[in-house]
Structures are given as C-alpha cells and as structure tokens.
Amino acid sequence: MHSSANTPGTLYVVGTPIGNLGDTSVRMKETLQQVDAIACEDTRVTARLLQHLGIHKPMVSYRDDNEIRAAESLLQRLLQGEHIALVSDAGVPTISDPGFRITRLCQKQGIPVLPIPGPCALITALSASGLPSDSFLFLGFLLPKKAARIRTFTQYLDFPHTLLFYESPHRITKCLDDMKQVLEPERVICVSKELTKMHERIVSGSLSDVHAHVLSRSLKGEFVVGIAPRGFVL
C-alpha cells in the first residue's frame, strides 16, 4: 500500500484489543497488514500484538513524551504518500492516549484520516455498569493531587448525567477515599478493572459498598470509574 508521489497517504486510527486478543477484528488485521508503517505507543506491546497476528511491519515510537516531534515526522511521511496506522497499547488512540496531534495535523493538511473501530475501555465499562448511559461526560484521567480530585468531585456533585474517568492502580484507593469525602455514601458508582481479561471485575452499587469491595480485592490493573447522577437508584 503506497500512494503516488503527488498524492498523500492515509492515517488509519486503529482500535486494538483492550485485553482479550479475541476482540481483534478482521478489518483491524487487514489494515495493519496493508500499511507502510505502524506508529505505536510502546513498540514492545505492539510487537506482541503483531506477532500474534503474524504481521511484520516497521514500527515508529509515538508516545506522550515525543508526540510533538513524532507527529511532524509522521506528517512528512504521509505527505510523501505513505500509509500509516496509529495504534495505542490498548483501545482507541487519542482517547486518553497519544494521537491528538497527528490527527489534528492531518485534518489541517487535508490528509485522509480513517478510523478503524475497536474496543474502548470507557464504553465497555459503561455498557455493563447499569448506570444511565444515554448521556455522559468522560473526564479522562483525573489529576493526581488530592486537592484537584476534591475540586473535580465538588464541581460535578450535581452534574445531571453519568461521569466516567480512568484511574491507575496506584491511585484508586486515594481516589475512592476522596470520593467519600464529597459524595454521599449512597451515591451509586461503578468500578471496573481488567476489562475483557481473565480477572475482569465490574462492581456497581453504593459508594460505601463498592469502596469496601474494591479495597478487599487485588488492585492490579487499570480502572474505569463511573458516578451516577445524584438521586439515581440502581
């Protein structure tokens, strides 16, 4: 797959499995087979995926700490007619993962950007949570400082729709503790971890009950946290 010298290539924004490799789509595999190169968050993680799929393609590091420089380099390659796939370690690129800068540059330059849909942790968690899903606000990763988390929970205390955010295993305990300082103990929340993996867990209920349940289990893995609107009853 390669365009002529006068025709720009295409950037494919490719969703990859968030845990279970059985979620690999035919279209995702075909796209990775056909592109000239793959821009990835961690070449070691993507190498394992490519090995599983039997694909051999050159990889380019595209991560948070080199995103500005890497985006400009990828843009030049696309302008020269190369077709490039953008992937993250898991899930959909640009959703709390690198990718915003290169997609923005492509849109400004008129370079085609084609999404190849795949699993997304926040949507996967919401779909099974039992929380209202007709309208929601995604907050990404909360800021790591306690004061910032408290401000966020206070700011959205009466938000009329479901809130969703990601949290790391290193901060989930402090995060839930801070939620207890601001939210009522009966506030309905959902905490999901290890989605699509062997030790997947999705727990919905009152803040006090979910808090106790989460802390009584292993805290390994990435978390998705949902907060239902005030007054919602599960």
Side-chain angles (χ1 to χ4, degrees):
M1 179 188 288
H2 202 89
S3 299
S4 66
N6 297 323
T7 304
T10 297
L11 177 71
Y12 294 89
V13 181
V14 182
T16 57
I18 58 177
N20 192 322
L21 293 178
D23 294 329
T24 300
S25 73
V26 172
R27 191 175 178 213
M28 184 208 87
K29 182 176 180 180
E30 290 177 346
T31 300
L32 296 181
Q33 287 173 327
Q34 294 170 6
V35 294
D36 297 298
I38 300 172
C40 50
E41 192 175 0
D42 187 327
T43 56
R44 296 165 299 180
V45 173
T46 300
R48 290 195 291 270
L49 173 64
L50 296 182
Q51 182 178 21
H52 172 78
L53 298 174
I55 296 174
H56 302 279
K57 289 289 177 177
M59 291 181 288
V60 179
S61 176
Y62 183 97
R63 57 188 190 275
D64 285 330
D65 59 357
N66 76 346
E67 187 174 6
I68 295 176
R69 182 177 67 256
E72 291 289 349
S73 176
L74 291 175
L75 176 65
Q76 295 307 311
R77 295 179 64 167
L78 288 159
L79 288 171
Q80 292 168 14
E82 289 191 51
H83 297 284
I84 296 175
L86 173 68
V87 302
S88 58
D89 288 349
V92 180
T94 79
I95 309 300
S96 286
D97 273 328
F100 161 73
R101 287 183 172 84
I102 183 58
T103 56
R104 181 188 184 194
L105 285 174
C106 287
Q107 293 292 355
K108 289 176 67 175
Q109 293 284 343
I111 294 172
V113 179
L114 294 185
I116 309 298
C120 177
L122 77 100
I123 298 300
T124 301
L126 179 61
S127 69
S129 68
L131 276 57
S133 56
D134 56 333
S135 182
F136 62 90
L137 176 64
F138 176 54
L139 301 175
F141 281 94
L142 300 186
L143 293 173
K145 298 295 185 181
K146 176 183 179 68
R149 286 194 297 267
I150 293 292
R151 283 197 301 271
T152 297
F153 297 141
T154 302
Q155 177 183 356
Y156 292 106
L157 183 63
D158 292 308
F159 189 70
H161 309 291
T162 296
L163 295 171
L164 292 166
F165 58 90
Y166 292 155
E167 193 52 275
S168 74
H170 312 292
R171 293 196 296 266
I172 186 64
T173 299
K174 294 178 181 178
C175 176
L176 291 172
D177 289 343
D178 293 340
M179 289 171 67
K180 289 184 70 175
Q181 287 191 33
V182 178
L183 308 181
E184 309 90 342
E186 66 273 13
R187 187 71 170 261
V188 175
I189 71 167
C190 176
V191 175
S192 306
K193 62 164 292 191
E194 296 287 80
L195 290 168
T196 77
K197 300 178 183 178
M198 181 181 298
H199 301 293
E200 175 182 78
R201 190 165 78 248
I202 302 171
V203 183
S204 295
S206 69
L207 171 57
S208 57
D209 288 345
V210 174
H211 180 275
H213 181 92
V214 170
L215 298 188
S216 68
R217 305 291 199 282
S218 168
L219 298 179
K220 292 182 179 180
E222 298 297 324
F223 290 81
V224 183
V225 181
I227 303 175
R230 206 172 195 174
F232 173 77
V233 179
L234 190 63

Coordinates of all heavy atoms in Angstrom, one line a residue, residues 72-118:
E72 N 5.2 15.5 13.7 CA 5.7 16.2 12.5 C 6.4 15.3 11.5 O 6.3 15.4 10.3 CB 6.7 17.3 13.0 CG 6.1 18.5 13.7 CD 5.3 19.4 12.8 OE1 5.4 19.2 11.6 OE2 4.5 20.2 13.4
S73 N 7.2 14.3 12.1 CA 7.9 13.3 11.3 C 6.9 12.5 10.5 O 7.0 12.2 9.3 CB 8.8 12.5 12.1 OG 9.4 11.4 11.4
L74 N 5.8 12.0 11.2 CA 4.8 11.2 10.5 C 4.1 12.0 9.4 O 3.7 11.5 8.4 CB 3.8 10.7 11.6 CG 4.3 9.7 12.6 CD1 3.2 9.3 13.6 CD2 4.7 8.4 11.8
L75 N 3.8 13.3 9.7 CA 3.2 14.1 8.7 C 3.9 14.2 7.4 O 3.4 14.0 6.3 CB 3.0 15.5 9.3 CG 2.4 16.6 8.3 CD1 0.9 16.2 8.0 CD2 2.4 18.0 8.9
Q76 N 5.3 14.3 7.5 CA 6.1 14.3 6.3 C 6.0 13.0 5.5 O 5.9 13.0 4.3 CB 7.5 14.7 6.7 CG 7.7 16.1 7.3 CD 7.1 17.2 6.4 OE1 7.4 17.2 5.2 NE2 6.3 18.0 7.0
R77 N 6.0 11.9 6.2 CA 5.9 10.6 5.6 C 4.5 10.5 4.9 O 4.4 9.9 3.8 CB 6.1 9.5 6.6 CG 7.5 9.5 7.2 CD 7.7 8.4 8.2 NE 7.6 7.1 7.6 CZ 8.0 6.0 8.3 NH1 8.5 6.1 9.5 NH2 7.8 4.8 7.7
L78 N 3.5 11.0 5.5 CA 2.1 10.9 4.9 C 2.1 11.8 3.7 O 1.5 11.4 2.7 CB 1.1 11.3 6.0 CG 0.8 10.3 7.1 CD1 0.2 11.0 8.3 CD2 -0.1 9.2 6.6
L79 N 2.7 13.0 3.8 CA 2.7 13.9 2.6 C 3.4 13.2 1.4 O 3.2 13.6 0.3 CB 3.3 15.2 3.0 CG 2.4 16.1 3.9 CD1 3.3 17.3 4.4 CD2 1.2 16.6 3.2
Q80 N 4.4 12.4 1.7 CA 5.2 11.7 0.7 C 4.4 10.5 0.1 O 5.0 9.8 -0.7 CB 6.5 11.3 1.2 CG 7.4 12.6 1.5 CD 8.7 12.2 2.3 OE1 9.0 11.0 2.4 NE2 9.3 13.2 2.9
G81 N 3.2 10.2 0.7 CA 2.4 9.1 0.1 C 2.4 7.8 0.9 O 1.7 6.9 0.5
E82 N 3.1 7.8 2.1 CA 3.0 6.6 2.9 C 1.6 6.5 3.6 O 1.0 7.5 4.0 CB 4.1 6.6 3.9 CG 5.5 6.4 3.4 CD 6.5 6.1 4.4 OE1 6.3 5.2 5.3 OE2 7.6 6.7 4.5
H83 N 1.2 5.2 3.8 CA 0.0 5.0 4.6 C 0.5 4.5 6.0 O 1.3 3.5 6.0 CB -0.9 3.9 3.9 CG -1.4 4.4 2.6 ND1 -2.4 5.3 2.5 CD2 -1.0 4.1 1.3 CE1 -2.7 5.5 1.2 NE2 -1.8 4.8 0.5
I84 N -0.1 5.1 7.0 CA 0.4 4.8 8.4 C -0.7 4.5 9.3 O -1.8 5.1 9.3 CB 1.2 6.0 8.9 CG1 2.5 6.2 8.1 CG2 1.6 5.8 10.4 CD1 3.3 7.4 8.5
A85 N -0.6 3.4 10.1 CA -1.6 3.1 11.1 C -1.1 3.6 12.5 O 0.1 3.5 12.8 CB -1.7 1.6 11.2
L86 N -2.0 4.2 13.2 CA -1.8 4.7 14.5 C -2.5 3.8 15.5 O -3.7 3.6 15.4 CB -2.3 6.2 14.7 CG -2.2 6.8 16.1 CD1 -0.8 7.0 16.5 CD2 -3.0 8.1 16.1
V87 N -1.7 3.3 16.5 CA -2.3 2.4 17.5 C -1.8 2.9 18.9 O -0.7 3.5 19.0 CB -2.0 0.9 17.3 CG1 -2.4 0.4 15.9 CG2 -0.5 0.7 17.4
S88 N -2.5 2.5 19.9 CA -2.0 2.7 21.3 C -1.8 1.3 21.9 O -2.1 0.3 21.2 CB -3.0 3.5 22.1 OG -4.3 2.9 22.1
D89 N -1.4 1.3 23.1 CA -1.1 0.0 23.7 C -2.4 -0.9 23.8 O -2.4 -2.1 23.8 CB -0.6 0.2 25.1 CG 0.9 0.7 25.1 OD1 1.5 0.7 24.0 OD2 1.4 1.1 26.2
A90 N -3.5 -0.2 24.0 CA -4.8 -0.9 24.1 C -5.9 0.1 23.9 O -5.9 1.2 24.4 CB -5.0 -1.5 25.5
G91 N -6.9 -0.3 23.1 CA -8.1 0.5 22.9 C -7.9 1.5 21.7 O -7.2 1.2 20.8
V92 N -8.6 2.6 21.8 CA -8.7 3.5 20.7 C -7.7 4.7 20.9 O -7.7 5.4 21.9 CB -10.1 4.1 20.5 CG1 -10.2 5.1 19.4 CG2 -11.1 3.0 20.3
P93 N -6.8 4.9 19.9 CA -5.8 6.0 20.1 C -6.6 7.4 20.2 O -7.7 7.5 19.7 CB -5.1 6.0 18.7 CG -5.2 4.6 18.3 CD -6.6 4.1 18.7
T94 N -5.9 8.3 20.8 CA -6.4 9.7 21.1 C -7.4 9.7 22.3 O -7.6 10.8 22.8 CB -7.1 10.4 19.9 OG1 -8.5 9.9 19.8 CG2 -6.3 10.2 18.6
I95 N -8.0 8.6 22.8 CA -8.9 8.6 23.9 C -8.1 8.4 25.2 O -7.8 7.2 25.6 CB -10.0 7.5 23.8 CG1 -10.7 7.6 22.4 CG2 -11.0 7.7 24.9 CD1 -11.3 9.0 22.2
S96 N -7.6 9.5 25.8 CA -6.6 9.4 26.9 C -5.4 8.6 26.5 O -4.8 8.0 27.4 CB -7.3 8.8 28.2 OG -8.2 9.7 28.7
D97 N -5.0 8.7 25.3 CA -3.8 8.1 24.7 C -3.3 9.0 23.7 O -4.0 9.9 23.1 CB -4.1 6.7 24.1 CG -4.0 5.6 25.2 OD1 -3.2 5.7 26.1 OD2 -4.7 4.6 25.0
P98 N -2.0 8.9 23.3 CA -1.4 9.8 22.3 C -2.2 9.6 20.9 O -2.8 8.6 20.6 CB 0.0 9.3 22.1 CG 0.3 8.6 23.4 CD -1.0 8.0 23.9
G99 N -2.2 10.7 20.1 CA -2.8 10.6 18.8 C -3.4 12.0 18.4 O -3.6 12.2 17.2
F100 N -3.8 12.8 19.4 CA -4.4 14.1 19.0 C -3.6 14.9 18.1 O -4.2 15.5 17.1 CB -4.7 14.8 20.3 CG -5.0 16.3 20.1 CD1 -6.2 16.7 19.5 CD2 -4.0 17.3 20.4 CE1 -6.4 18.1 19.3 CE2 -4.3 18.6 20.2 CZ -5.5 19.0 19.7
R101 N -2.3 15.0 18.3 CA -1.5 16.0 17.5 C -1.4 15.5 16.0 O -1.5 16.3 15.1 CB -0.1 16.2 18.1 CG -0.2 17.0 19.4 CD 1.2 17.3 19.9 NE 1.1 18.2 21.0 CZ 0.8 17.9 22.3 NH1 0.5 16.6 22.6 NH2 0.8 18.8 23.2
I102 N -1.2 14.3 15.8 CA -1.1 13.8 14.4 C -2.4 13.9 13.7 O -2.5 14.2 12.5 CB -0.4 12.4 14.3 CG1 -0.2 12.0 12.8 CG2 -1.2 11.4 15.0 CD1 0.6 13.0 12.0
T103 N -3.5 13.5 14.3 CA -4.8 13.6 13.7 C -5.2 15.1 13.4 O -5.7 15.4 12.3 CB -5.9 13.0 14.5 OG1 -6.0 13.5 15.8 CG2 -5.7 11.5 14.7
R104 N -4.8 16.0 14.3 CA -5.1 17.4 14.1 C -4.3 17.9 12.9 O -4.8 18.6 12.0 CB -4.7 18.2 15.3 CG -5.0 19.7 15.2 CD -4.4 20.4 16.4 NE -4.7 21.8 16.4 CZ -4.2 22.7 17.1 NH1 -3.2 22.4 18.0 NH2 -4.5 24.0 17.1
L105 N -3.0 17.5 12.8 CA -2.2 18.0 11.7 C -2.7 17.4 10.4 O -2.7 18.2 9.4 CB -0.7 17.5 11.9 CG 0.1 18.2 12.9 CD1 1.5 17.5 13.1 CD2 0.3 19.7 12.5
C106 N -3.1 16.2 10.4 CA -3.7 15.6 9.1 C -5.0 16.3 8.7 O -5.2 16.6 7.5 CB -4.0 14.1 9.3 SG -2.5 13.1 9.4
Q107 N -5.8 16.7 9.6 CA -7.1 17.4 9.3 C -6.7 18.8 8.7 O -7.4 19.2 7.8 CB -8.0 17.5 10.5 CG -8.5 16.1 11.0 CD -9.5 15.5 10.0 OE1 -9.9 16.1 9.0 NE2 -10.0 14.3 10.3
K108 N -5.8 19.4 9.3 CA -5.4 20.8 8.8 C -4.8 20.7 7.4 O -5.0 21.6 6.6 CB -4.4 21.4 9.8 CG -5.0 21.8 11.1 CD -3.9 22.4 12.1 CE -3.3 23.7 11.6 NZ -2.4 24.2 12.5
Q109 N -4.1 19.6 7.1 CA -3.4 19.5 5.8 C -4.2 18.8 4.8 O -3.8 18.6 3.6 CB -2.1 18.7 6.0 CG -1.0 19.4 6.8 CD -0.3 20.4 6.1 OE1 -0.4 20.5 4.9 NE2 0.4 21.3 6.8
G110 N -5.4 18.4 5.2 CA -6.3 17.7 4.2 C -5.9 16.2 3.9 O -6.3 15.7 2.9
I111 N -5.1 15.6 4.8 CA -4.7 14.2 4.7 C -5.8 13.3 5.2 O -6.3 13.6 6.3 CB -3.4 14.0 5.4 CG1 -2.3 14.8 4.8 CG2 -3.1 12.5 5.5 CD1 -1.0 14.7 5.6
P112 N -6.3 12.3 4.5 CA -7.3 11.5 4.9 C -7.0 10.8 6.3 O -5.9 10.3 6.5 CB -7.5 10.4 3.8 CG -6.9 11.1 2.6 CD -5.8 11.9 3.1
V113 N -8.0 10.8 7.2 CA -7.9 10.1 8.5 C -9.0 9.1 8.5 O -10.2 9.6 8.6 CB -7.9 11.1 9.6 CG1 -7.8 10.3 11.0 CG2 -6.8 12.1 9.5
L114 N -8.7 7.9 8.6 CA -9.8 6.8 8.6 C -9.8 6.1 9.9 O -8.7 5.5 10.2 CB -9.6 5.9 7.4 CG -9.8 6.4 6.0 CD1 -9.7 5.3 5.0 CD2 -11.1 7.1 5.9
P115 N -10.9 6.1 10.7 CA -10.9 5.3 11.9 C -11.2 3.9 11.6 O -12.1 3.6 10.8 CB -12.0 6.0 12.7 CG -13.0 6.5 11.6 CD -12.1 6.9 10.5
I116 N -10.5 3.0 12.3 CA -10.8 1.5 12.3 C -11.3 1.2 13.7 O -10.5 1.0 14.6 CB -9.6 0.7 11.9 CG1 -8.9 1.3 10.6 CG2 -9.9 -0.7 11.7 CD1 -9.8 1.2 9.4
P117 N -12.6 1.1 13.9 CA -13.1 1.0 15.2 C -12.7 -0.2 16.0 O -12.4 -1.3 15.4 CB -14.7 0.9 15.0 CG -14.9 1.6 13.7 CD -13.7 1.2 12.9
G118 N -12.6 -0.1 17.3 CA -12.2 -1.2 18.1 C -12.6 -1.0 19.5 O -13.3 0.0 19.8

